[in-house]
Amino acid sequence: MATTASGSQQRAEERVQEPAREHDGSIGRLVSAVTSDAQSLVRKEVELAKAEMRQEATNAGKAAGMYGGAGFAGYMVALLLSLTAVFALAHVLDEVWAAMIVAGGWAVIGACLFLLARARMKRVHAKPDKTMQSLKENARWARHPSG
């Protein structure tokens, strides 16, 4: 009886091990399968990234359109408030002088914004210094990975 139990246990172990032998392949096939799977994974990740970027670009485009609409509305408010200021000053001064005062106020605001923008633009660097440094370090490491 003990012989029969150990014999059936041995046959069960062989059945469990047999599927593993069927899938055993050469190292070359295994490396090829892993490489193929990795390439497929990378392709799918790139496709996912592209789809996400398209969605984000669509959302950004819609937001930019809304910013444009808000800018136009702000422009209209500034125009109408300027006209209101001209008409209010026209009760105290001649209409021409009232219009000149409001236009002068806008000229001062425009000049201040221009000077601020020019100063800020001088601080903008077109070359991404940190990225360039990182790329140089990566290239150095690729040439000499040990040190």
Side-chain angles (χ1 to χ4, degrees), residues 75-89 98-99 101-103 105-106 109:
Y75 168 77
M76 293 302 292
V77 167
L79 176 67
L80 293 173
L81 286 176
S82 295
L83 287 173
T84 302
V86 168
F87 290 134
L89 283 174
I101 290 171
V102 172
W106 279 112
I109 291 171

Side-chain angles (χ1 to χ4, degrees), residues 38-52:
Q39 288 174 344
S40 176
L41 179 63
V42 167
R43 265 189 247 112
K44 288 181 181 183
E45 289 294 332
V46 168
E47 289 173 14
L48 177 62
K50 285 180 182 179
E52 284 180 323

Side-chain angles (χ1 to χ4, degrees), residues 8 10 21 34 36 39 47 55 61 72 84 87 97 107 110 112 145:
S8 64
Q10 187 177 13
R21 285 191 208 132
V34 168
S36 175
Q39 288 174 344
E47 289 173 14
Q55 183 65 37
F72 179 73
T84 302
F87 290 134
W97 286 109
C112 290

Side-chain angles (χ1 to χ4, degrees), residues 21-145:
R21 285 191 208 132
E22 290 175 11
H23 295 295
D24 284 348
S26 69
I27 298 287
R29 279 193 226 144
L30 291 173
V31 169
S32 175
V34 168
T35 303
S36 175
D37 289 346
Q39 288 174 344
S40 176
L41 179 63
V42 167
R43 265 189 247 112
K44 288 181 181 183
E45 289 294 332
V46 168
E47 289 173 14
L48 177 62
K50 285 180 182 179
E52 284 180 323
M53 292 302 291
R54 275 193 295 272
Q55 183 65 37
E56 290 302 315
T58 300
N59 290 341
K62 289 177 183 177
M66 290 178 192
Y67 275 131
F72 179 73
Y75 168 77
M76 293 302 292
V77 167
L79 176 67
L80 293 173
L81 286 176
S82 295
L83 287 173
T84 302
V86 168
F87 290 134
L89 283 174
H91 288 294
V92 179
L93 304 169
D94 189 35
E95 289 90 7
V96 173
W97 286 109
M100 296 271 296
I101 290 171
V102 172
W106 279 112
V108 169
I109 291 171
C112 290
L113 288 173
F114 172 78
L115 293 173
L116 289 171
R118 186 174 69 176
R120 185 167 292 191
M121 190 59 92
K122 286 181 180 179
R123 293 190 308 244
V124 172
H125 299 288
K127 186 172 77 170
D129 294 326
K130 291 178 184 175
T131 302
M132 295 299 289
Q133 182 64 29
S134 175
L135 288 173
K136 287 177 185 177
E137 289 173 8
N138 291 342
R140 262 187 257 123
W141 180 85
R143 278 188 238 118
H144 309 290

